[in-house]
Amino acid sequence: MSFRSLEYYGSEILRKQSRELDCSTEQDFIEILINDMKRILYTENGLGLAAPQSGENVRLFILNPEELDLSGHSVFINPNIEISGTLIKDEEGCLSIPGIFELVKRPSNVSLTALDENGRSFSLELDEYTARAAQHEHDHLEGILFIDRLSPIRKRIIRKRLSEIKKEYRSGKRIL
Ligand SMILES: [Zn+2]
């Protein structure tokens, strides 16, 4: 049995817009996908993971409830986010872009509506790093990476590392 694995910078899947999921007809697909994503997230010690990072262009992300304040939730299907508050700068990284950590400006608050793993709708008000993580993962569903939100100067500084990751990814080598 083979499991899905982590997609890295350079993968075209990370740049595509993801489609909505149908919880009534795609139950089995969703259940296996969530299992694979949790395996990747916990193996990599991540805060969150979006479906495209595991090779599927569908609107689903998971967040790590041990690290973030999520009122018992961890699975977000067809999520909708509304941002508000002031812009705050904080450090972000991404499992798909190893070794790069940069300050990113994002709004401080998020109203999140989504379906859980059982297809039930729920809403959450998020702030602090949890609001940031939700925005980062939601970006993945639109094909946006956190490095897209950096200033031209910071982008230039990380350019070499990005091309290294892409080269290693394309050659199929393990990325460190
Ligand atoms: Zn990411």
Side-chain angles (χ1 to χ4, degrees), residues 5-68:
S5 57
L6 184 59
E7 297 286 325
Y8 289 95
Y9 179 79
S11 162
E12 281 173 23
I13 294 169
L14 293 177
R15 288 312 198 171
K16 285 184 188 152
Q17 175 115 16
S18 290
R19 69 165 176 88
E20 296 240 314
L21 281 162
D22 184 336
C23 287
S24 56
T25 60
E26 298 184 282
Q27 244 173 3
D28 294 347
F29 169 73
I30 292 170
E31 193 184 321
I32 295 167
L33 176 58
I34 290 170
N35 280 338
D36 285 352
M37 287 173 64
K38 283 185 173 169
R39 182 177 294 108
I40 295 170
L41 182 68
Y42 293 118
T43 303
E44 304 282 342
N45 268 318
L47 283 182
L49 189 79
Q53 294 179 277
S54 65
E56 299 290 346
N57 280 118
V58 293
R59 301 186 80 81
L60 189 166
F61 63 74
I62 60 174
L63 293 172
N64 187 339
E66 285 162 28
E67 305 284 343
L68 300 165

Short mmCIF file of all heavy atoms in Angstrom, two decimals, residues 5-68:
data_model
loop_
_atom_site.label_atom_id
_atom_site.label_comp_id
_atom_site.label_asym_id
_atom_site.label_seq_id
_atom_site.Cartn_x
_atom_site.Cartn_y
_atom_site.Cartn_z
N SER A 5 2.54 11.44 -0.63
CA SER A 5 3.71 12.06 0.00
C SER A 5 3.72 13.57 -0.23
O SER A 5 2.93 14.10 -1.01
CB SER A 5 5.00 11.43 -0.54
OG SER A 5 5.03 11.57 -1.94
N LEU A 6 4.62 14.24 0.48
CA LEU A 6 4.66 15.70 0.47
C LEU A 6 5.14 16.24 -0.88
O LEU A 6 6.14 15.79 -1.42
CB LEU A 6 5.60 16.15 1.60
CG LEU A 6 5.76 17.64 1.87
CD1 LEU A 6 4.42 18.29 2.22
CD2 LEU A 6 6.73 17.84 3.03
N GLU A 7 4.40 17.23 -1.39
CA GLU A 7 4.80 17.93 -2.62
C GLU A 7 5.67 19.13 -2.24
O GLU A 7 5.36 19.84 -1.28
CB GLU A 7 3.56 18.46 -3.35
CG GLU A 7 2.60 17.39 -3.84
CD GLU A 7 3.14 16.63 -5.05
OE1 GLU A 7 3.81 17.25 -5.89
OE2 GLU A 7 2.89 15.42 -5.14
N TYR A 8 6.72 19.34 -2.99
CA TYR A 8 7.64 20.45 -2.70
C TYR A 8 7.53 21.56 -3.74
O TYR A 8 7.01 21.35 -4.85
CB TYR A 8 9.08 19.94 -2.66
CG TYR A 8 9.37 19.09 -1.45
CD1 TYR A 8 9.28 17.70 -1.51
CD2 TYR A 8 9.68 19.68 -0.22
CE1 TYR A 8 9.53 16.91 -0.39
CE2 TYR A 8 9.93 18.90 0.90
CZ TYR A 8 9.85 17.52 0.81
OH TYR A 8 10.08 16.75 1.92
N TYR A 9 8.07 22.72 -3.36
CA TYR A 9 8.17 23.85 -4.27
C TYR A 9 8.75 23.37 -5.60
O TYR A 9 9.76 22.67 -5.61
CB TYR A 9 9.07 24.93 -3.66
CG TYR A 9 9.25 26.13 -4.54
CD1 TYR A 9 8.26 27.11 -4.61
CD2 TYR A 9 10.38 26.28 -5.32
CE1 TYR A 9 8.41 28.21 -5.44
CE2 TYR A 9 10.54 27.38 -6.14
CZ TYR A 9 9.55 28.33 -6.20
OH TYR A 9 9.70 29.42 -7.02
N GLY A 10 8.11 23.72 -6.69
CA GLY A 10 8.51 23.20 -8.00
C GLY A 10 7.42 22.30 -8.56
O GLY A 10 7.31 22.12 -9.77
N SER A 11 6.58 21.74 -7.66
CA SER A 11 5.45 20.92 -8.10
C SER A 11 4.35 21.82 -8.64
O SER A 11 3.96 22.80 -7.99
CB SER A 11 4.92 20.12 -6.91
OG SER A 11 3.61 19.66 -7.19
N GLU A 12 3.83 21.48 -9.82
CA GLU A 12 2.78 22.31 -10.42
C GLU A 12 1.47 22.25 -9.64
O GLU A 12 0.66 23.18 -9.69
CB GLU A 12 2.55 21.89 -11.87
CG GLU A 12 3.62 22.46 -12.79
CD GLU A 12 3.53 21.94 -14.21
OE1 GLU A 12 2.45 21.48 -14.61
OE2 GLU A 12 4.57 21.99 -14.89
N ILE A 13 1.30 21.16 -8.90
CA ILE A 13 0.07 20.99 -8.11
C ILE A 13 -0.08 22.14 -7.10
O ILE A 13 -1.19 22.60 -6.82
CB ILE A 13 0.09 19.63 -7.39
CG1 ILE A 13 0.03 18.51 -8.43
CG2 ILE A 13 -1.05 19.49 -6.40
CD1 ILE A 13 0.31 17.12 -7.89
N LEU A 14 1.05 22.61 -6.58
CA LEU A 14 1.01 23.70 -5.58
C LEU A 14 0.57 25.03 -6.17
O LEU A 14 0.28 25.96 -5.44
CB LEU A 14 2.40 23.87 -4.94
CG LEU A 14 2.90 22.72 -4.08
CD1 LEU A 14 4.31 23.00 -3.58
CD2 LEU A 14 1.97 22.47 -2.89
N ARG A 15 0.55 25.11 -7.50
CA ARG A 15 0.22 26.37 -8.16
C ARG A 15 -1.18 26.40 -8.77
O ARG A 15 -1.58 27.37 -9.40
CB ARG A 15 1.26 26.67 -9.25
CG ARG A 15 2.61 27.08 -8.67
CD ARG A 15 2.43 28.12 -7.62
NE ARG A 15 3.63 28.88 -7.28
CZ ARG A 15 3.61 29.96 -6.49
NH1 ARG A 15 2.48 30.37 -5.96
NH2 ARG A 15 4.72 30.59 -6.20
N LYS A 16 -1.93 25.30 -8.59
CA LYS A 16 -3.26 25.23 -9.19
C LYS A 16 -4.34 25.62 -8.19
O LYS A 16 -4.19 25.44 -7.00
CB LYS A 16 -3.53 23.80 -9.67
CG LYS A 16 -2.77 23.45 -10.94
CD LYS A 16 -3.16 22.07 -11.40
CE LYS A 16 -2.28 21.63 -12.55
NZ LYS A 16 -2.13 20.18 -12.61
N GLN A 17 -5.45 26.10 -8.75
CA GLN A 17 -6.64 26.37 -7.94
C GLN A 17 -7.28 25.02 -7.62
O GLN A 17 -7.38 24.16 -8.49
CB GLN A 17 -7.59 27.21 -8.79
CG GLN A 17 -8.91 27.48 -8.15
CD GLN A 17 -9.09 28.96 -7.86
OE1 GLN A 17 -8.38 29.79 -8.40
NE2 GLN A 17 -10.02 29.28 -7.00
N SER A 18 -7.71 24.83 -6.38
CA SER A 18 -8.31 23.55 -5.99
C SER A 18 -9.83 23.59 -6.10
O SER A 18 -10.45 24.63 -5.96
CB SER A 18 -7.90 23.20 -4.56
OG SER A 18 -6.54 22.87 -4.53
N ARG A 19 -10.42 22.41 -6.33
CA ARG A 19 -11.87 22.32 -6.51
C ARG A 19 -12.56 21.97 -5.18
O ARG A 19 -11.95 21.40 -4.28
CB ARG A 19 -12.21 21.25 -7.56
CG ARG A 19 -11.91 19.83 -7.10
CD ARG A 19 -12.58 18.78 -8.00
NE ARG A 19 -12.19 17.41 -7.58
CZ ARG A 19 -12.84 16.71 -6.66
NH1 ARG A 19 -13.92 17.20 -6.07
NH2 ARG A 19 -12.43 15.48 -6.34
N GLU A 20 -13.84 22.28 -5.10
CA GLU A 20 -14.64 21.95 -3.91
C GLU A 20 -14.83 20.44 -3.80
O GLU A 20 -14.83 19.73 -4.81
CB GLU A 20 -16.02 22.59 -4.03
CG GLU A 20 -16.00 24.10 -4.05
CD GLU A 20 -16.78 24.72 -2.90
OE1 GLU A 20 -17.91 24.28 -2.65
OE2 GLU A 20 -16.23 25.65 -2.26
N LEU A 21 -15.03 19.97 -2.58
CA LEU A 21 -15.31 18.56 -2.35
C LEU A 21 -16.81 18.34 -2.11
O LEU A 21 -17.49 19.23 -1.60
CB LEU A 21 -14.54 18.07 -1.13
CG LEU A 21 -13.06 17.77 -1.38
CD1 LEU A 21 -12.29 17.72 -0.06
CD2 LEU A 21 -12.88 16.46 -2.14
N ASP A 22 -17.29 17.17 -2.46
CA ASP A 22 -18.68 16.79 -2.19
C ASP A 22 -18.67 15.71 -1.12
O ASP A 22 -18.32 14.56 -1.39
CB ASP A 22 -19.32 16.26 -3.49
CG ASP A 22 -20.80 15.95 -3.31
OD1 ASP A 22 -21.22 15.69 -2.15
OD2 ASP A 22 -21.53 15.96 -4.31
N CYS A 23 -19.05 16.10 0.10
CA CYS A 23 -18.94 15.17 1.23
C CYS A 23 -19.90 13.98 1.13
O CYS A 23 -19.69 12.96 1.79
CB CYS A 23 -19.19 15.91 2.54
SG CYS A 23 -17.80 16.96 3.00
N SER A 24 -20.95 14.09 0.31
CA SER A 24 -21.89 12.96 0.24
C SER A 24 -21.43 11.90 -0.77
O SER A 24 -21.69 10.72 -0.59
CB SER A 24 -23.30 13.45 -0.09
OG SER A 24 -23.30 14.20 -1.28
N THR A 25 -20.72 12.32 -1.83
CA THR A 25 -20.31 11.32 -2.84
C THR A 25 -18.82 10.96 -2.77
O THR A 25 -18.41 9.98 -3.38
CB THR A 25 -20.60 11.84 -4.27
OG1 THR A 25 -19.85 13.05 -4.47
CG2 THR A 25 -22.07 12.12 -4.48
N GLU A 26 -18.03 11.74 -2.03
CA GLU A 26 -16.59 11.51 -2.02
C GLU A 26 -16.06 11.08 -0.64
O GLU A 26 -14.89 11.28 -0.33
CB GLU A 26 -15.85 12.78 -2.47
CG GLU A 26 -16.19 13.18 -3.90
CD GLU A 26 -15.37 14.38 -4.36
OE1 GLU A 26 -15.71 15.51 -3.97
OE2 GLU A 26 -14.40 14.19 -5.11
N GLN A 27 -16.95 10.49 0.16
CA GLN A 27 -16.61 10.11 1.53
C GLN A 27 -15.32 9.30 1.66
O GLN A 27 -14.46 9.64 2.48
CB GLN A 27 -17.76 9.29 2.11
CG GLN A 27 -18.43 9.96 3.28
CD GLN A 27 -19.66 9.19 3.72
OE1 GLN A 27 -19.97 8.12 3.17
NE2 GLN A 27 -20.35 9.72 4.69
N ASP A 28 -15.22 8.24 0.86
CA ASP A 28 -14.06 7.35 0.98
C ASP A 28 -12.77 8.07 0.60
O ASP A 28 -11.75 7.96 1.28
CB ASP A 28 -14.23 6.11 0.10
CG ASP A 28 -15.38 5.24 0.58
OD1 ASP A 28 -15.86 5.48 1.71
OD2 ASP A 28 -15.79 4.34 -0.18
N PHE A 29 -12.85 8.80 -0.50
CA PHE A 29 -11.69 9.57 -0.96
C PHE A 29 -11.23 10.55 0.12
O PHE A 29 -10.04 10.65 0.43
CB PHE A 29 -12.07 10.32 -2.24
CG PHE A 29 -11.08 11.37 -2.69
CD1 PHE A 29 -9.86 11.00 -3.25
CD2 PHE A 29 -11.37 12.72 -2.55
CE1 PHE A 29 -8.95 11.97 -3.67
CE2 PHE A 29 -10.47 13.70 -2.96
CZ PHE A 29 -9.25 13.31 -3.52
N ILE A 30 -12.20 11.25 0.72
CA ILE A 30 -11.89 12.26 1.75
C ILE A 30 -11.26 11.61 2.98
O ILE A 30 -10.27 12.10 3.52
CB ILE A 30 -13.16 13.06 2.13
CG1 ILE A 30 -13.62 13.94 0.96
CG2 ILE A 30 -12.91 13.93 3.36
CD1 ILE A 30 -15.00 14.58 1.13
N GLU A 31 -11.82 10.46 3.38
CA GLU A 31 -11.31 9.80 4.59
C GLU A 31 -9.87 9.34 4.42
O GLU A 31 -9.02 9.57 5.30
CB GLU A 31 -12.21 8.59 4.91
CG GLU A 31 -11.97 8.03 6.29
CD GLU A 31 -12.80 6.77 6.56
OE1 GLU A 31 -13.98 6.72 6.12
OE2 GLU A 31 -12.26 5.85 7.19
N ILE A 32 -9.56 8.76 3.27
CA ILE A 32 -8.19 8.29 3.02
C ILE A 32 -7.24 9.48 2.88
O ILE A 32 -6.12 9.45 3.40
CB ILE A 32 -8.15 7.38 1.77
CG1 ILE A 32 -8.96 6.10 2.03
CG2 ILE A 32 -6.71 7.02 1.40
CD1 ILE A 32 -9.25 5.28 0.79
N LEU A 33 -7.73 10.51 2.21
CA LEU A 33 -6.90 11.71 2.04
C LEU A 33 -6.53 12.33 3.39
O LEU A 33 -5.38 12.68 3.64
CB LEU A 33 -7.64 12.73 1.16
CG LEU A 33 -6.97 14.08 0.95
CD1 LEU A 33 -5.58 13.93 0.33
CD2 LEU A 33 -7.84 14.99 0.06
N ILE A 34 -7.53 12.44 4.28
CA ILE A 34 -7.26 13.02 5.61
C ILE A 34 -6.23 12.17 6.36
O ILE A 34 -5.31 12.70 7.00
CB ILE A 34 -8.57 13.15 6.43
CG1 ILE A 34 -9.47 14.24 5.83
CG2 ILE A 34 -8.28 13.47 7.90
CD1 ILE A 34 -10.88 14.29 6.40
N ASN A 35 -6.36 10.85 6.27
CA ASN A 35 -5.38 9.97 6.94
C ASN A 35 -3.98 10.20 6.40
O ASN A 35 -3.02 10.28 7.17
CB ASN A 35 -5.76 8.49 6.74
CG ASN A 35 -6.85 8.07 7.71
OD1 ASN A 35 -7.03 8.70 8.75
ND2 ASN A 35 -7.57 7.03 7.35
N ASP A 36 -3.87 10.28 5.09
CA ASP A 36 -2.55 10.50 4.48
C ASP A 36 -1.99 11.87 4.89
O ASP A 36 -0.80 12.00 5.18
CB ASP A 36 -2.65 10.44 2.95
CG ASP A 36 -2.79 9.01 2.43
OD1 ASP A 36 -2.66 8.07 3.23
OD2 ASP A 36 -3.03 8.84 1.22
N MET A 37 -2.87 12.87 4.91
CA MET A 37 -2.41 14.22 5.26
C MET A 37 -1.96 14.29 6.72
O MET A 37 -0.95 14.92 7.04
CB MET A 37 -3.52 15.24 5.00
CG MET A 37 -3.75 15.50 3.50
SD MET A 37 -5.19 16.55 3.19
CE MET A 37 -4.68 18.09 3.95
N LYS A 38 -2.70 13.61 7.61
CA LYS A 38 -2.30 13.59 9.02
C LYS A 38 -0.96 12.90 9.20
O LYS A 38 -0.12 13.33 9.98
CB LYS A 38 -3.37 12.91 9.88
CG LYS A 38 -4.57 13.81 10.12
CD LYS A 38 -5.57 13.20 11.07
CE LYS A 38 -6.66 14.21 11.39
NZ LYS A 38 -7.81 13.62 12.09
N ARG A 39 -0.76 11.83 8.42
CA ARG A 39 0.51 11.11 8.50
C ARG A 39 1.66 12.05 8.11
O ARG A 39 2.69 12.11 8.79
CB ARG A 39 0.48 9.88 7.58
CG ARG A 39 1.76 9.05 7.65
CD ARG A 39 1.67 7.81 6.78
NE ARG A 39 0.68 6.87 7.27
CZ ARG A 39 -0.49 6.62 6.70
NH1 ARG A 39 -0.83 7.24 5.57
NH2 ARG A 39 -1.33 5.76 7.21
N ILE A 40 1.47 12.80 7.02
CA ILE A 40 2.52 13.73 6.58
C ILE A 40 2.73 14.82 7.63
O ILE A 40 3.85 15.12 8.03
CB ILE A 40 2.15 14.37 5.21
CG1 ILE A 40 2.12 13.31 4.11
CG2 ILE A 40 3.15 15.47 4.86
CD1 ILE A 40 1.54 13.81 2.78
N LEU A 41 1.62 15.41 8.11
CA LEU A 41 1.72 16.53 9.06
C LEU A 41 2.48 16.13 10.32
O LEU A 41 3.36 16.86 10.78
CB LEU A 41 0.31 17.03 9.43
CG LEU A 41 0.27 18.23 10.38
CD1 LEU A 41 0.80 19.48 9.69
CD2 LEU A 41 -1.15 18.49 10.87
N TYR A 42 2.14 14.96 10.87
CA TYR A 42 2.78 14.58 12.13
C TYR A 42 4.19 14.06 11.93
O TYR A 42 5.05 14.25 12.79
CB TYR A 42 1.88 13.61 12.91
CG TYR A 42 0.60 14.31 13.36
CD1 TYR A 42 -0.65 13.89 12.93
CD2 TYR A 42 0.68 15.43 14.19
CE1 TYR A 42 -1.81 14.58 13.31
CE2 TYR A 42 -0.47 16.12 14.57
CZ TYR A 42 -1.70 15.69 14.14
OH TYR A 42 -2.83 16.37 14.51
N THR A 43 4.46 13.43 10.79
CA THR A 43 5.83 13.00 10.48
C THR A 43 6.74 14.22 10.37
O THR A 43 7.88 14.21 10.83
CB THR A 43 5.87 12.23 9.14
OG1 THR A 43 4.97 11.13 9.23
CG2 THR A 43 7.27 11.70 8.85
N GLU A 44 6.21 15.29 9.77
CA GLU A 44 7.02 16.48 9.51
C GLU A 44 6.93 17.50 10.65
O GLU A 44 7.55 18.56 10.57
CB GLU A 44 6.55 17.17 8.21
CG GLU A 44 6.56 16.27 6.98
CD GLU A 44 7.96 16.08 6.42
OE1 GLU A 44 8.84 16.89 6.76
OE2 GLU A 44 8.17 15.12 5.68
N ASN A 45 6.13 17.17 11.70
CA ASN A 45 5.97 18.10 12.82
C ASN A 45 5.45 19.46 12.39
O ASN A 45 5.95 20.50 12.85
CB ASN A 45 7.31 18.31 13.53
CG ASN A 45 7.47 17.33 14.67
OD1 ASN A 45 6.51 17.08 15.40
ND2 ASN A 45 8.65 16.76 14.78
N GLY A 46 4.45 19.46 11.52
CA GLY A 46 3.95 20.73 10.99
C GLY A 46 2.79 21.30 11.78
O GLY A 46 2.18 20.62 12.60
N LEU A 47 2.48 22.56 11.54
CA LEU A 47 1.32 23.22 12.15
C LEU A 47 0.06 22.97 11.32
O LEU A 47 -1.04 22.94 11.84
CB LEU A 47 1.54 24.73 12.21
CG LEU A 47 2.46 25.30 13.28
CD1 LEU A 47 2.47 26.81 13.19
CD2 LEU A 47 2.00 24.86 14.66
N GLY A 48 0.26 22.84 10.01
CA GLY A 48 -0.89 22.63 9.13
C GLY A 48 -0.45 22.08 7.79
O GLY A 48 0.73 22.13 7.44
N LEU A 49 -1.44 21.55 7.05
CA LEU A 49 -1.14 21.00 5.73
C LEU A 49 -2.39 21.14 4.86
O LEU A 49 -3.51 20.86 5.31
CB LEU A 49 -0.77 19.52 5.84
CG LEU A 49 -0.22 18.87 4.57
CD1 LEU A 49 1.26 19.24 4.39
CD2 LEU A 49 -0.35 17.35 4.63
N ALA A 50 -2.20 21.60 3.63
CA ALA A 50 -3.32 21.72 2.69
C ALA A 50 -3.25 20.56 1.69
O ALA A 50 -2.16 20.07 1.38
CB ALA A 50 -3.25 23.06 1.96
N ALA A 51 -4.42 20.15 1.19
CA ALA A 51 -4.49 18.99 0.30
C ALA A 51 -3.51 19.05 -0.88
O ALA A 51 -2.90 18.04 -1.21
CB ALA A 51 -5.92 18.78 -0.18
N PRO A 52 -3.33 20.22 -1.53
CA PRO A 52 -2.38 20.24 -2.66
C PRO A 52 -0.96 19.80 -2.25
O PRO A 52 -0.23 19.25 -3.06
CB PRO A 52 -2.39 21.71 -3.10
CG PRO A 52 -3.72 22.23 -2.66
CD PRO A 52 -4.04 21.51 -1.39
N GLN A 53 -0.61 20.04 -0.99
CA GLN A 53 0.72 19.63 -0.51
C GLN A 53 0.84 18.11 -0.44
O GLN A 53 1.95 17.59 -0.33
CB GLN A 53 1.00 20.22 0.87
CG GLN A 53 1.13 21.73 0.89
CD GLN A 53 1.38 22.24 2.28
OE1 GLN A 53 0.46 22.42 3.05
NE2 GLN A 53 2.63 22.48 2.62
N SER A 54 -0.29 17.42 -0.48
CA SER A 54 -0.23 15.96 -0.51
C SER A 54 -0.64 15.44 -1.90
O SER A 54 -0.94 14.26 -2.06
CB SER A 54 -1.12 15.36 0.58
OG SER A 54 -2.47 15.67 0.32
N GLY A 55 -0.66 16.35 -2.87
CA GLY A 55 -0.85 15.91 -4.25
C GLY A 55 -2.27 15.98 -4.78
O GLY A 55 -2.53 15.51 -5.89
N GLU A 56 -3.20 16.54 -4.00
CA GLU A 56 -4.60 16.59 -4.45
C GLU A 56 -5.10 18.03 -4.51
O GLU A 56 -5.06 18.73 -3.50
CB GLU A 56 -5.51 15.81 -3.48
CG GLU A 56 -5.18 14.33 -3.36
CD GLU A 56 -5.53 13.53 -4.61
OE1 GLU A 56 -6.26 14.04 -5.48
OE2 GLU A 56 -5.05 12.38 -4.70
N ASN A 57 -5.58 18.46 -5.66
CA ASN A 57 -6.11 19.82 -5.80
C ASN A 57 -7.58 19.89 -5.39
O ASN A 57 -8.46 20.11 -6.20
CB ASN A 57 -5.90 20.34 -7.23
CG ASN A 57 -4.49 20.83 -7.45
OD1 ASN A 57 -3.76 20.30 -8.29
ND2 ASN A 57 -4.08 21.83 -6.70
N VAL A 58 -7.80 19.68 -4.09
CA VAL A 58 -9.16 19.78 -3.54
C VAL A 58 -9.13 20.70 -2.32
O VAL A 58 -8.08 20.89 -1.68
CB VAL A 58 -9.72 18.39 -3.13
CG1 VAL A 58 -9.93 17.54 -4.37
CG2 VAL A 58 -8.82 17.69 -2.12
N ARG A 59 -10.33 21.28 -2.02
CA ARG A 59 -10.39 22.30 -0.97
C ARG A 59 -10.53 21.67 0.41
O ARG A 59 -11.64 21.51 0.94
CB ARG A 59 -11.52 23.30 -1.27
CG ARG A 59 -11.33 23.99 -2.61
CD ARG A 59 -12.33 25.08 -2.89
NE ARG A 59 -11.99 26.32 -2.23
CZ ARG A 59 -11.10 27.19 -2.70
NH1 ARG A 59 -10.45 26.95 -3.83
NH2 ARG A 59 -10.84 28.29 -2.03
N LEU A 60 -9.42 21.35 0.98
CA LEU A 60 -9.35 20.74 2.31
C LEU A 60 -8.01 21.08 2.92
O LEU A 60 -6.99 21.00 2.23
CB LEU A 60 -9.49 19.21 2.15
CG LEU A 60 -9.66 18.29 3.37
CD1 LEU A 60 -10.11 16.92 2.90
CD2 LEU A 60 -8.43 18.15 4.23
N PHE A 61 -8.01 21.50 4.19
CA PHE A 61 -6.74 21.58 4.91
C PHE A 61 -6.91 21.09 6.33
O PHE A 61 -8.03 20.99 6.84
CB PHE A 61 -6.12 22.98 4.84
CG PHE A 61 -6.89 24.12 5.47
CD1 PHE A 61 -6.96 24.25 6.86
CD2 PHE A 61 -7.50 25.08 4.66
CE1 PHE A 61 -7.64 25.33 7.42
CE2 PHE A 61 -8.18 26.16 5.23
CZ PHE A 61 -8.25 26.28 6.61
N ILE A 62 -5.82 20.73 6.94
CA ILE A 62 -5.84 20.30 8.34
C ILE A 62 -4.89 21.20 9.13
O ILE A 62 -3.92 21.73 8.59
CB ILE A 62 -5.47 18.81 8.53
CG1 ILE A 62 -4.06 18.51 8.00
CG2 ILE A 62 -6.47 17.91 7.83
CD1 ILE A 62 -3.58 17.08 8.31
N LEU A 63 -5.22 21.40 10.40
CA LEU A 63 -4.36 22.17 11.30
C LEU A 63 -4.07 21.29 12.51
O LEU A 63 -4.87 20.42 12.87
CB LEU A 63 -5.03 23.48 11.72
CG LEU A 63 -5.24 24.53 10.61
CD1 LEU A 63 -6.10 25.68 11.13
CD2 LEU A 63 -3.91 25.04 10.07
N ASN A 64 -2.93 21.52 13.13
CA ASN A 64 -2.50 20.70 14.26
C ASN A 64 -3.13 21.21 15.57
O ASN A 64 -2.75 22.25 16.07
CB ASN A 64 -0.97 20.75 14.33
CG ASN A 64 -0.41 19.80 15.35
OD1 ASN A 64 -1.11 19.39 16.28
ND2 ASN A 64 0.86 19.44 15.19
N PRO A 65 -4.10 20.45 16.12
CA PRO A 65 -4.82 20.93 17.31
C PRO A 65 -3.96 20.92 18.57
O PRO A 65 -4.35 21.48 19.59
CB PRO A 65 -5.99 19.95 17.42
CG PRO A 65 -5.52 18.71 16.75
CD PRO A 65 -4.54 19.12 15.70
N GLU A 66 -2.80 20.27 18.51
CA GLU A 66 -1.91 20.28 19.67
C GLU A 66 -1.12 21.58 19.75
O GLU A 66 -0.61 21.94 20.80
CB GLU A 66 -0.95 19.08 19.61
CG GLU A 66 -1.65 17.78 19.96
CD GLU A 66 -0.87 16.56 19.51
OE1 GLU A 66 0.37 16.66 19.42
OE2 GLU A 66 -1.51 15.54 19.22
N GLU A 67 -1.02 22.26 18.62
CA GLU A 67 -0.21 23.48 18.57
C GLU A 67 -1.06 24.75 18.46
O GLU A 67 -0.58 25.84 18.71
CB GLU A 67 0.74 23.43 17.36
CG GLU A 67 1.64 22.21 17.30
CD GLU A 67 2.79 22.32 18.30
OE1 GLU A 67 3.07 23.44 18.77
OE2 GLU A 67 3.40 21.28 18.59
N LEU A 68 -2.31 24.60 18.01
CA LEU A 68 -3.15 25.77 17.72
C LEU A 68 -4.48 25.66 18.45
O LEU A 68 -4.95 24.56 18.73
CB LEU A 68 -3.40 25.87 16.20
CG LEU A 68 -2.15 26.03 15.33
CD1 LEU A 68 -2.49 25.75 13.87
CD2 LEU A 68 -1.54 27.41 15.47
#
